[in-house]
Amino acid sequence: MDEQTNGWIRQKFDASKRAREKREREIHGRIELTMNVECLLHMNSLYSKGRVLGYERAKRTQNPNVSLIKLEGVQTTEDARFYLGKRVAYVYYANKEKNGSKLRVIWGRIARPHGTSGVVKARFRKNLPPKSFGASVRVVSHIKFVEV
């Protein structure tokens, strides 16, 4: 291979590398922009909403250890990946008071996406009761546990 051909290949490689870096910067900028807009939209809420669809299931069996949750405003698998590892709270009211409140919470965590339309799988500390199907849950992004 002569020097002229080698220089031409190097020049092509550098041009494609610059173009790839430019595309990555543009994509990264768009991601930052959408995140900033999303943060501004949800600035006065501490959580985003979701809805319990039911248990993970097959044709004849269902697995109550895993609940399917449709997140509000999430349309794709890529959007759903942002919520992986986030805490989920199913808040409900009971008949008996405990510690001066009828309010109860079952905590869980988002495990993985389910399908391509923004549904996720979540595991809760105690399995969600069937009366929770169709009920709303809260997806909490920032929780800090403070020792007292």
Side-chain angles (χ1 to χ4, degrees):
M1 216 165 30
D2 63 339
E3 189 62 37
Q4 184 179 8
T5 309
N6 196 9
W8 181 81
I9 292 173
R10 193 176 314 115
Q11 187 179 13
K12 270 298 231 196
F13 177 75
D14 290 344
S16 65
K17 185 178 175 185
R18 282 193 301 271
R20 187 171 54 249
E21 288 172 354
K22 183 180 177 185
R23 274 196 309 271
E24 287 174 0
R25 280 195 305 271
E26 287 174 0
I27 290 171
H28 187 67
R30 269 188 257 141
I31 290 171
E32 282 184 355
L33 179 65
T34 54
M35 292 299 288
N36 290 340
V37 169
E38 194 173 308
C39 291
L40 287 173
L41 290 174
H42 299 294
M43 200 172 222
N44 41 351
S45 69
L46 296 173
Y47 59 88
S48 53
K49 290 183 179 181
R51 197 152 296 275
V52 179
L53 300 179
Y55 297 136
E56 176 189 53
R57 56 174 296 138
K59 188 174 181 182
R60 291 180 185 84
T61 59
Q62 59 185 6
N63 179 12
N65 300 333
V66 180
S67 299
L68 299 178
I69 296 173
K70 173 69 176 135
L71 300 172
E72 193 175 272
V74 177
Q75 306 299 329
T76 64
T77 307
E78 287 73 32
D79 296 342
R81 283 179 216 259
F82 170 77
Y83 290 94
L84 298 186
K86 301 282 191 277
R87 298 274 183 171
V88 186
Y90 168 63
V91 181
Y92 65 101
Y93 289 91
N95 290 331
K96 276 191 176 182
E97 272 194 24
K98 275 192 179 179
N99 300 328
S101 175
K102 292 185 176 185
L103 190 74
R104 310 275 168 85
V105 181
I106 300 176
W107 285 99
R109 183 172 283 171
I110 294 177
R112 56 177 297 185
H114 175 77
T116 57
S117 61
V119 177
V120 293
K121 294 180 182 183
R123 289 190 171 86
F124 288 82
R125 288 185 184 163
K126 291 187 174 183
N127 297 344
L128 290 182
K131 74 172 187 177
S132 70
F133 295 169
S136 63
V137 292
R138 301 173 181 185
V139 181
V140 184
S141 295
H142 306 287
I143 294 183
K144 291 185 181 177
F145 293 101
V146 179
E147 291 183 23
V148 179

